[in-house]
Amino acid sequence: MDRAVHHEIAGVAIPDLPRHMVIGGREVDAANGERIETVDPATGRVFADVPSATLADVDAAVEEARKALRGPWRATVPAERGRILNRVAQLIRRDAERLAVIETLDSGKPLAESRGDVSTAAGYFEYYAGIADKLQGDSIPLGPDYMSFTLHEPVGVTAHVIPWNFPLVTTARGVAPALAAGNTAVVKPASQTPLTALALAGLMAEAGVPAGVYNAVTGRGGAIGDALCGHPGVDHVTFTGSVPTGINVMKVAADRVTSVTLELGGKSPVVVLADADLDAAVEGTLKAIYMNAGQVCSAGSRLVIDRKVHAVMLERLVARARQLSVGHGLSDPKLGPLVSDSHRRAVAAYVEGARARGIAVAAGGVPVEVAGFEGGYFYAPTILDAVDARDAVVQEEIFGPVLVVQVVDSAEQAIEVANDTPFGLCAGIYTRDISRAMRFARDVDAGQVFINQYFAGGIQTPFGGTKLSGFGREKGLAALAAYYQVKCITARI
């Protein structure tokens, strides 16, 4: 059935939608003809469908990637690879509004956030395009009778398993450095949000990326994801998602001794000390937890606050949280829906459990019904106050618009509390004392630290975690280490 639609929601025209996988430069259906439906989270209604890949489709995608690796992409000089990736970026910017609308329909996020994601995706291709002809090795001084040097060579075929919360930008974050380093890619987007990874394939072809360099297969996680991550033709896996799935990806890849980059969950603290600029801290905390309705691995989902300013900041946060608009992403509210009904039920279960344990629900804590979109998966911006360090809502990732407040009595205790979860992805601190801020940055267990802002940095800044938040780094120059291998050549002369 053709679910391409042309009507409007909230005054925004819905574009034609991609409907096929791309393997070896060809638009294809699944080998068995089966399809899966994708739902607009703001309405609860199906608005598109895509192929449901089989194991044979995964085999075909990997084989096409290997052909391209040995053939046209290998023969493309690095400077030309850079020019091609720059053209991809230009085409993303040309089609920015179409891609943003598709992303919002697929994931539910506010249109402004989708527009930001599309711009960032283009930025990744621009950034790594400039690096394609600068991945050079070193000469090693062994003495007058030897010449020794290193080469940076592509690892080979890279598999990219993409999460549903940032579909296009996460695809670009991994694929751009992989292609810049001379690799080829097979992308498996989340079954809930497959459309922009497919749309990107058309732009790749238009930019001159040879057939087989970028392949996109769609389908349910489980068998298809395992088949791709454990495929003998895959040389590296980049995975972003939940901790349990990441552990499974690592196990599957281990059977083939395939390298992996894992960017997993987080329970990141936003520390506010007594001397902080509370205006900045309130704004930063709201952004840290409510962007994309809290469905962000690096979300600042814990507010660790000095008792001296706890009451006044909580009052301001509660007032602001209650004012945040909730609605269909195409109407550009502050919060869109959660990605699915099952996910909303999971978020609600955490809050109801906390309420039953006597934890104060200072704001929200209920589903929201939006007029005209009664089938949507909306949930109110929520704040849980004065929570014990061992409680489940502190120790486990909720992945929704739920801020957990922990009260401390000193900067030293704030560091202890900040480190007291199994995760170590990001951390933020608000204080006017730069020495105290730098001591916090030194002692906190996190891959990224933000001072007097949250979500600071950008494409150029390395991103990744410690502990259960995973390992390896994406973004910046550090990301390239996953996508090339070093060969050392030594000759006696």
Side-chain angles (χ1 to χ4, degrees):
M1 62 190 157
D2 186 355
R3 293 189 183 273
V5 289
H6 304 274
H7 61 283
E8 292 187 352
I9 292 178
V12 179
I14 300 173
D16 290 333
L17 303 170
R19 303 195 67 247
H20 301 93
M21 300 187 295
V22 176
I23 297 177
R26 300 182 303 277
E27 293 187 348
V28 299
D29 290 315
N32 60 6
E34 292 187 3
R35 301 183 72 81
I36 56 174
E37 297 175 330
T38 184
V39 171
D40 175 358
T43 65
R45 295 196 296 267
V46 173
F47 75 99
D49 55 15
V50 296
S52 181
T54 67
L55 299 183
D57 296 316
V58 173
D59 287 341
V62 174
E63 178 56 30
E64 290 296 331
R66 295 215 72 81
K67 288 179 183 176
L69 180 71
R70 297 188 299 264
W73 201 231
R74 184 176 185 176
T76 303
V77 297
E80 178 60 17
R81 285 205 304 267
R83 286 188 284 270
I84 291 171
L85 295 182
N86 258 322
R87 288 198 292 271
V88 174
Q90 292 166 9
L91 294 172
I92 291 173
R93 295 196 186 281
R94 182 197 69 188
D95 289 1
E97 192 64 12
R98 174 177 182 264
L99 292 169
V101 170
I102 292 173
E103 196 80 314
T104 288
L105 283 170
D106 221 6
S107 69
K109 65 176 59 183
L111 189 58
E113 292 184 17
S114 292
R115 287 169 174 154
D117 288 355
V118 172
S119 178
T120 300
Y124 279 119
F125 283 98
E126 290 164 343
Y127 180 79
Y128 290 108
I131 293 169
D133 61 353
K134 300 171 186 68
L135 289 173
Q136 56 198 33
D138 299 306
S139 62
I140 302 166
L142 295 181
D145 295 329
Y146 292 91
M147 290 186 65
S148 186
F149 60 94
T150 61
L151 302 176
H152 288 179
E153 298 184 336
V155 293
V157 173
T158 60
H160 303 260
V161 182
I162 307 301
W164 48 257
N165 58 333
F166 287 89
L168 180 62
V169 78
T170 308
T171 300
R173 188 176 74 188
V175 169
L179 268 55
N183 302 281
T184 57
V186 179
V187 172
K188 190 324 193 153
S191 58
Q192 300 96 324
T193 55
L195 296 178
T196 47
L198 298 180
L200 181 60
L203 302 185
M204 290 273 196
E206 186 178 350
V209 176
V213 171
Y214 177 90
N215 306 273
V217 294
T218 53
R220 295 179 179 86
I224 298 304
D226 285 355
L228 179 60
C229 295
H231 199 286
V234 167
D235 302 293
H236 179 81
V237 176
T238 294
F239 172 83
T240 302
S242 70
V243 173
T245 306
I247 290 171
N248 185 64
V249 165
M250 193 173 178
K251 289 178 179 178
V252 170
D255 288 338
R256 300 284 181 183
V257 198
T258 301
S259 60
V260 296
T261 297
L262 297 180
E263 196 267 283
L264 308 178
K267 198 71 183 180
S268 300
V270 179
V271 173
V272 178
L273 300 183
D275 68 339
D277 178 341
L278 291 190
D279 290 335
V282 167
E283 294 305 314
T285 301
L286 290 168
K287 180 180 179 181
I289 184 56
Y290 296 131
M291 187 177 77
N292 198 21
Q295 299 169 120
V296 183
C297 55
S298 54
S301 55
R302 292 188 294 140
L303 173 61
V304 179
I305 187 165
D306 191 296
R307 193 177 306 275
K308 298 182 185 67
V309 293
H310 166 240
V312 64
M313 184 160 172
L314 182 67
E315 181 181 9
R316 293 172 64 178
L317 283 172
V318 167
R320 289 291 305 281
R322 290 173 176 167
Q323 293 169 357
L324 296 175
S325 58
V326 179
H328 196 295
L330 292 182
S331 66
D332 211 13
K334 290 298 182 182
L335 274 79
L338 299 179
V339 74
S340 67
D341 184 50
S342 62
H343 186 54
R344 181 173 66 171
R345 284 187 272 110
V347 170
Y350 272 108
V351 176
E352 289 308 311
R355 184 182 275 119
R357 293 189 296 275
I359 294 170
V361 181
V366 293
V368 175
E369 189 170 283
V370 176
F373 302 102
E374 287 77 9
Y377 313 132
F378 302 99
Y379 198 81
T382 298
I383 300 174
L384 304 178
D385 189 30
V387 183
D388 180 79
R390 303 267 57 83
D391 197 273
V393 295
V394 170
Q395 293 297 320
E396 299 174 18
E397 186 177 38
I398 300 174
F399 219 63
V402 181
L403 179 65
V404 179
V405 180
Q406 297 177 267
V407 183
V408 296
D409 292 300
S410 67
E412 292 72 25
Q413 187 185 8
I415 293 174
E416 293 176 8
V417 169
N419 286 336
D420 191 19
T421 76
F423 299 99
L425 192 52
C426 293
I429 185 168
Y430 285 83
T431 176
R432 289 184 168 91
D433 187 332
I434 190 62
S435 294
R436 185 174 286 163
M438 296 309 292
R439 287 195 296 272
F440 174 83
R442 177 194 65 195
D443 296 336
V444 73
D445 199 350
Q448 279 196 325
V449 181
F450 310 126
I451 297 175
N452 292 326
Q453 187 181 344
Y454 203 85
F455 294 132
I459 291 168
Q460 304 89 343
T461 52
F463 175 70
T466 64
K467 300 188 288 188
L468 288 187
S469 293
F471 55 83
R473 292 295 179 265
E474 299 191 81
K475 301 172 53 175
L477 297 178
L480 292 160
Y483 299 113
Y484 66 77
Q485 51 198 354
V486 177
K487 177 184 286 183
C488 183
I489 299 171
T490 303
R492 185 179 181 94
I493 58 174

